[in-house]
Amino acid sequence: VIFSSSPPSFWCRTSRSLALEQVSTMALELAISGLGGPLCTISAQRTWEARQVKAAVEACVGIPDLEQRLLAGTVELLDSMSLGAALVAGGTSSLTLIRRPPLQARWLSEAEKDWRCLREAPPEIRADAEIVLAAVQQHGSVLELASEGLHANRDFVLAAVQRNGCALAYAIEGLRADREVVLAAVKQYGRTLKYAAEFLRTDHELVLAAVQQNSNALQYAAEGLRADRELVLAAVQRNGFALKYVAAELCADRDFVLAAVRRNGHALEYASSDLRTDQEVVFVSVTCTGGALQFAAPQLREDKKIVLAAVRQNGLSLEFVGPSLRADREVVLVAVRQDGHALRFADDHLRADSELVLSAIQQNSNALQFAAGHLRTDREVVLAAVQRNGRALKHAEVSLKSDRSFVLEAVQRNGRALEFAADELRGDREVVLAAMQQEGAALFFAADRLRADREAVLAAVQANGSVLKYLGDSLRADREVVLTAVLQYSSALEHAAAELRSDRGFVLEVMRRNGRALEYASADIRADREVVLAAVQQYGSALEYAARSLRGEREVVLSAVQQSSSALQYASEELRSDSDIALAAVQRSGFALKHVSSELVSRKSFILAVVQRNGRALEYVPDIVRCDPDIALAAVHRNGGALQYVSEDLRADRSIVLAAVQRSGRALKFADARLRDDREVVLLAVQHCGAALEFVSARLRTDREVVLVAAQQDSRAAKFASVDLSDHDLASLVASG
């Protein structure tokens, strides 16, 4: 049976929404006509974008897509516009094609890529509205490069500022005084209000549109409007910083300033001096933005409640705290827990507090640099920092960096600490090996003689194969070193010596142990059947990197999909239509159906074979297929949980639901409500899975026999019952185990 857009009578009816969805994806016969008459008819999808239609027309009649302008009636289809948005459903639709001259098409393509090409364009190109608009969209200054005729053309300039408001800056004076043009510009980019005629900057509606797009446009409004509460509030609500441009009387308005600092605490900088002494205003500011504390009055920077709110939001605001509170342990502890670097601003005696310093280091290991000198020689403190970040050793005192036992312990915790060890320790074999065993990249920081030491290098690549790219030529040509690296990190093969990547025997050995590395083998090797077969048997998706000829070889592809179903997507189109290969892939994962050819998916016999092997593959079949009772029954026979993927109508089919719950009692969850109230169906479900009682109708959860059967299968099912079990019932359950 071949599935078609008109399903046979044995399929269940689809819902209206499914029918509409199918209509939207149906093939559409699209007639294309030029000004001189019909050109061609193409088969398209309603979901296609105009650029796809142009590509199809180019393939059909040879007109380059750049030379095509397509119109549906009087509406031009932009490249990103979908056919569904431009055409009415049903029947044959038609489009008109107007052909651009080749020279115009070439310049249009150049202008879309780089607006600067117009600087060298001939006059006739700079007089082409379509080309100039394409360039203006990238940069407003292109308007200056347009011909005099376009530059003074109102309709053209209006279209330009609608695409890029910044173009207003380059419009002639008369058009910068045109309200419609300016309004279009500020709606696209509010700050172009700067270039509007002075009288338009007093226009309430126009300025409001500008600040709604960009609050910073307020700075270009007329002085009177910068005192307009409604307009200014619109700006401040978008960005508290807009308070910077507000009239002085509003900066002293408490309610207004509160609205601003709730949006952006830094707006406190522009509040009046009186309001910067207001506890509530400052508290709201620092709760929103801790750094706003710097704009508070000095006495409030010594207010513990305000300060705690600030450092809780941003530990670094400790910088702006008054001296007495920078010596307050509670305040500093809150700050360093939020940002360890806040330790920098703590009072000296607290930077000598080991517990507090450890808290800072736990948040940011580099806080060690701000600890008191004696703590930077404290093994526990420094190790805590190094464990989080090996580079923190940089901030330890020199005596510790030269202490062999300490550095050895440090690199065992974080190999990168080797970078800041004393020179003699970076040449110490035991220390370097310990570092590389923890972090292979530590090899970068070893002394030159150890970086060429084969034993040391082997330890490094075993821990981190990517180290291979930093080795010398002789080591990248060493078979054992490269093999060890590739086994740890498949991409390391890319950095092996060319002779090894072309060495068939070596690459074959690699593929048997790490098929992912096929990507980095030489082209000749990726065309070697035995090598590729070894790779895909170890890692199926390595098929992606095989030569095209091998992606069309049946045995290779079958081996790949048997190892990884996702490998099917890399097979040739012919083999994605091979039922044996497709079934092998789908048996591992139903998701592989997404990579099976549409021709194969349209066969009922194939889908039946699929769900007989993997019932859950039903999730990935077309919606219309889920309405087939034969397929649904085969799927639930294989996997009861597949009931969730059958059509809504079939989840009310008693025979299908009985088959599903026979296989998996929990499948009852997906059955129609009427069948969850069917005593026979429910008893069968709870016999197989007592916990399925959770999905039984409220009526049957009061049925003592149903509840007892469920509880006998799983005593925990009793919690879903709506009836109390007697002592006798409970004794029976205990006796039954």
Side-chain angles (χ1 to χ4, degrees):
V1 178
I2 304 296
F3 294 153
S4 69
S5 57
S6 301
S9 59
F10 58 75
W11 282 340
C12 65
R13 293 184 178 181
T14 60
S15 66
R16 177 172 173 78
S17 62
L18 178 57
L20 289 173
E21 181 183 342
Q22 289 165 351
V23 167
S24 72
T25 56
M26 281 170 52
L28 174 74
E29 293 300 305
L30 200 59
I32 310 293
S33 299
L35 295 179
L39 290 173
C40 63
T41 300
I42 62 172
S43 182
Q45 298 289 334
R46 294 182 184 278
T47 54
W48 275 17
E49 293 182 342
R51 62 170 57 90
Q52 293 170 282
V53 178
K54 290 179 180 180
V57 171
E58 180 176 0
C60 187
V61 295
I63 299 174
D65 60 349
L66 286 171
E67 295 180 18
Q68 299 176 41
R69 295 180 65 190
L70 296 176
L71 286 81
T74 59
V75 177
E76 182 168 1
L77 275 68
L78 302 177
D79 278 355
S80 59
M81 186 182 293
S82 72
L83 282 177
L87 304 175
V88 287
T92 299
S93 295
S94 63
L95 294 176
T96 302
L97 186 153
I98 299 176
R99 187 167 183 175
R100 293 188 182 95
L103 180 65
Q104 184 195 33
R106 181 173 67 81
W107 275 100
L108 184 60
S109 173
E110 292 298 317
E112 286 172 343
K113 293 174 188 172
D114 187 351
W115 62 272
R116 285 174 286 248
C117 71
L118 258 67
R119 290 173 177 168
E120 311 299 328
E124 65 271 21
I125 295 300
R126 289 190 282 114
D128 187 304
E130 189 177 6
I131 292 173
V132 177
L133 283 176
V136 164
Q137 194 149 354
Q138 297 174 54
H139 204 282
S141 67
V142 171
L143 190 59
E144 274 192 317
L145 302 174
S147 67
E148 284 186 23
L150 286 183
H151 203 199
N153 184 302
R154 182 183 183 277
D155 291 338
F156 173 76
V157 174
L158 181 59
V161 298
Q162 284 169 339
R163 287 164 172 76
N164 187 336
C166 292
L168 185 66
Y170 306 96
I172 62 174
E173 189 175 350
L175 291 177
R176 285 190 278 120
D178 184 304
R179 190 178 188 279
E180 185 182 357
V181 170
V182 174
L183 188 59
V186 299
K187 282 181 175 177
Q188 204 283 325
Y189 182 54
R191 293 185 70 160
T192 56
L193 182 63
K194 175 181 181 179
Y195 306 108
E198 192 171 342
F199 78 93
L200 287 178
R201 287 188 266 145
T202 67
D203 184 313
H204 186 280
E205 181 189 353
L206 192 147
V207 173
L208 184 60
V211 299
Q212 284 173 335
Q213 200 287 322
N214 188 313
S215 59
N216 285 317
L218 186 63
Q219 64 187 298
Y220 305 116
E223 191 173 346
L225 289 183
R226 284 190 276 125
D228 182 292
R229 193 179 185 85
E230 177 201 357
L231 192 147
V232 171
L233 195 58
V236 166
Q237 283 175 339
R238 283 186 62 83
N239 184 350
F241 269 126
L243 195 62
K244 177 179 181 179
Y245 310 115
V246 172
E249 59 266 32
L250 283 181
C251 289
D253 182 312
R254 191 174 187 275
D255 291 339
F256 186 81
V257 170
L258 272 170
V261 297
R262 283 193 180 100
R263 190 72 181 174
N264 186 327
H266 275 133
L268 183 65
E269 178 180 2
Y270 307 107
S272 68
S273 55
D274 284 348
L275 289 179
R276 283 189 272 128
T277 66
D278 184 303
Q279 283 187 311
E280 184 185 359
V281 171
V282 173
F283 183 79
V284 169
S285 300
V286 300
T287 301
C288 172
T289 312
L293 187 64
Q294 64 187 299
F295 307 117
Q299 64 269 28
L300 294 186
R301 286 189 262 148
E302 293 280 7
D303 182 306
K304 190 166 181 177
K305 177 185 175 184
I306 288 174
V307 165
L308 279 171
V311 298
R312 197 171 281 119
Q313 200 282 325
N314 182 347
L316 294 178
S317 60
L318 186 64
E319 177 182 3
F320 310 113
V321 173
S324 66
L325 290 180
R326 277 193 275 126
D328 183 297
R329 195 174 190 280
E330 180 187 1
V331 168
V332 174
L333 196 55
V334 170
V336 299
R337 282 175 176 166
Q338 201 283 324
D339 190 321
H341 270 148
L343 186 63
R344 175 183 183 181
F345 306 111
D347 186 80
D348 287 350
H349 86 278
L350 290 178
R351 287 195 278 129
D353 182 318
S354 60
E355 183 184 348
L356 193 145
V357 169
L358 279 169
S359 292
I361 285 169
Q362 283 165 358
Q363 202 286 321
N364 188 321
S365 58
N366 284 316
L368 180 63
Q369 64 189 297
F370 306 118
H374 74 278
L375 289 181
R376 286 187 277 121
T377 63
D378 183 298
R379 298 173 76 96
E380 180 190 358
V381 170
V382 176
L383 281 174
V386 168
Q387 189 155 357
R388 288 184 61 81
N389 181 353
R391 292 179 60 86
L393 187 61
K394 174 182 180 179
H395 308 300
E397 290 293 328
V398 175
S399 59
L400 272 188
K401 296 179 188 179
S402 303
D403 183 318
R404 188 179 187 279
S405 64
F406 174 78
V407 170
L408 190 58
E409 186 174 356
V411 298
Q412 284 169 342
R413 296 192 184 194
N414 190 322
R416 289 183 177 269
L418 185 65
E419 179 180 2
F420 299 102
D423 288 349
E424 66 271 17
L425 293 179
R426 287 191 280 120
D428 184 302
R429 186 183 189 80
E430 184 183 357
V431 170
V432 171
L433 284 174
M436 291 191 300
Q437 282 167 354
Q438 200 285 322
E439 168 59 75
L443 179 66
F444 308 149
F445 312 119
D448 289 346
R449 64 182 178 78
L450 287 179
R451 291 177 69 180
D453 183 298
R454 192 171 181 278
E455 183 184 346
V457 166
L458 274 169
V461 296
Q462 194 166 19
N464 185 340
S466 67
V467 168
L468 187 68
K469 65 181 174 182
Y470 301 105
L471 301 180
D473 292 346
S474 62
L475 288 169
R476 286 191 285 115
D478 184 302
R479 297 173 76 94
E480 185 182 0
V481 169
V482 174
L483 183 60
T484 303
V486 172
L487 292 181
Q488 199 282 326
Y489 181 60
S490 61
S491 301
L493 186 61
E494 180 181 7
H495 308 293
E499 60 265 29
L500 275 187
R501 286 192 287 121
S502 299
D503 183 318
R504 186 180 183 278
F506 176 74
V507 176
L508 184 58
E509 183 181 359
V510 168
M511 295 310 136
R512 286 174 177 148
R513 299 167 73 176
N514 190 340
R516 292 171 187 265
L518 183 64
E519 179 180 0
Y520 306 104
S522 67
D524 288 348
I525 296 292
R526 286 188 276 121
D528 184 299
R529 188 179 185 280
E530 186 181 358
V531 171
V532 171
L533 198 55
V536 299
Q537 284 170 346
Q538 201 282 324
Y539 177 63
S541 290
L543 184 65
E544 178 181 2
Y545 308 111
R548 183 184 294 273
S549 59
L550 292 177
R551 285 189 272 135
E553 184 166 323
R554 200 169 187 280
E555 185 186 353
V556 171
V557 173
L558 189 59
S559 293
V561 300
Q562 285 171 338
Q563 200 285 324
S564 171
S565 60
S566 63
L568 185 62
Q569 64 188 298
Y570 307 117
S572 67
E573 189 171 348
E574 180 185 355
L575 290 184
R576 284 190 283 115
S577 297
D578 183 299
S579 59
D580 291 337
I581 288 174
L583 285 172
V586 172
Q587 190 161 353
R588 287 187 62 84
S589 170
F591 187 78
L593 264 177
K594 289 187 173 292
H595 308 305
V596 175
S597 71
S598 55
E599 185 274 328
L600 199 54
V601 172
S602 71
R603 296 184 194 168
K604 181 176 178 180
S605 58
F606 172 73
I607 297 297
L608 271 171
V610 165
V611 298
Q612 284 165 353
R613 288 164 171 76
N614 184 345
R616 286 188 173 272
L618 194 63
E619 179 181 0
Y620 304 103
V621 302
D623 287 344
I624 200 166
V625 178
R626 301 183 197 184
C627 295
D628 186 303
D630 297 334
I631 289 173
L633 194 58
V636 300
H637 267 308
R638 180 66 182 174
N639 187 309
L643 184 63
Q644 65 187 295
Y645 305 120
V646 307
S647 71
E648 190 174 343
D649 288 351
L650 292 184
R651 280 187 268 136
D653 184 301
R654 198 168 186 275
S655 61
I656 289 174
V657 173
L658 277 169
V661 299
Q662 172 88 33
R663 188 71 177 170
S664 169
R666 291 189 69 85
L668 185 66
K669 176 181 180 179
F670 308 109
D672 183 84
R674 287 169 297 173
L675 292 177
R676 286 188 276 119
D677 191 47
D678 182 307
R679 201 167 186 276
E680 183 185 352
V681 171
V682 166
L683 277 170
L684 185 60
V686 297
Q687 280 171 3
H688 285 86
C689 176
L693 187 63
E694 178 182 359
F695 311 114
V696 172
S697 69
R699 180 181 73 86
L700 290 179
R701 277 188 274 127
T702 65
D703 185 305
R704 187 172 299 278
E705 183 185 356
V706 169
V707 172
L708 274 173
V709 170
Q712 283 170 343
Q713 202 283 324
D714 184 343
S715 61
R716 293 169 296 182
K719 66 183 179 183
F720 302 117
S722 298
V723 62
D724 292 330
L725 298 178
S726 67
D727 291 341
H728 176 71
D729 294 330
L730 293 171
S732 297
L733 287 177
V734 172
S736 65

